Structures are given as structure tokens and as C-alpha cells.
Amino acid sequence: DASKEMSVMLLFREGFHVAAEGARWMAEKADELAKVEAKLASLSKRVEANFSDAETSLQLAEVSDFIETLLQSVDSVRVNSMKLPLMQELQERATKANERLQELRK
């Protein structure tokens, strides 16, 4: 019986750490995404003004890599239920940035 309680406690603690790690990851990625969104806005102006060059293409590829990785990771990172709305918001922002990126690449 004591070993069952210990197992439950360890599982609870592990779940807590996984959720805390997920929350930390989410906060870091939200900050990075804000920078990427600003960069994307700047790149959009450059593309729309027909000032794009090889550097613009390289930066668009970097933005694309970040967004694709973020969108893939969002589904596998675990957070506690209180943080789910923030995770959904992060996913929506990344999806919106990805849509904007696809528009620029046309």
C-alpha cells in the first residue's frame, strides 16, 4: 500500500515537472514568436515593395523553419489545463504567421 502511494506521488510529481517544463517552453516560444512576427512584418513590407533579394529569401526561410517547428511541437508539449488557452493562442499566432508567410511566397 505504501509503495502504491509512493508510485502515485512520483507520477504526480513527474506530471507536475513535465507541465512546468511545458509552460517554460511555451513562454520561451511565445517570446521568440513575437520576434518572428515582427521580422515577418518587416519582410512583408520589403517583399510588397519589391525590394526582396537573396537575404530576404534567406530570412523568410529562417522564419519558415521556426514556424514549422513550432507548429509541430505545440501538439506534443504538455502543459497543465490552466495553460491550455495560452497554448492555443500560441498555436493560432503561429498558424496566422504561417499563412502570412505562404502569401509572401506566392
Side-chain angles (χ1 to χ4, degrees), residues 15-81:
F16 175 80
H17 287 297
V18 167
E21 197 174 292
R24 224 180 353 268
W25 177 89
M26 187 178 62
E28 287 172 12
K29 295 304 170 191
D31 288 345
E32 289 178 46
L33 181 57
K35 291 174 186 155
V36 165
E37 288 167 329
K39 187 175 197 173
L40 188 55
S42 171
L43 291 169
S44 296
K45 290 177 186 168
R46 209 182 305 173
V47 168
E48 289 164 357
N50 290 323
F51 289 135
S52 55
D53 55 12
E55 179 65 22
T56 307
S57 296
L58 178 65
Q59 289 180 358
L60 284 171
E62 289 170 356
V63 166
S64 177
D65 288 346
F66 172 80
I67 292 171
E68 286 176 19
T69 303
L70 179 60
L71 285 171
Q72 290 171 1
S73 301
V74 142
D75 289 331
S76 58
V77 173
R78 293 190 347 215
V79 294
N80 70 33
S81 58

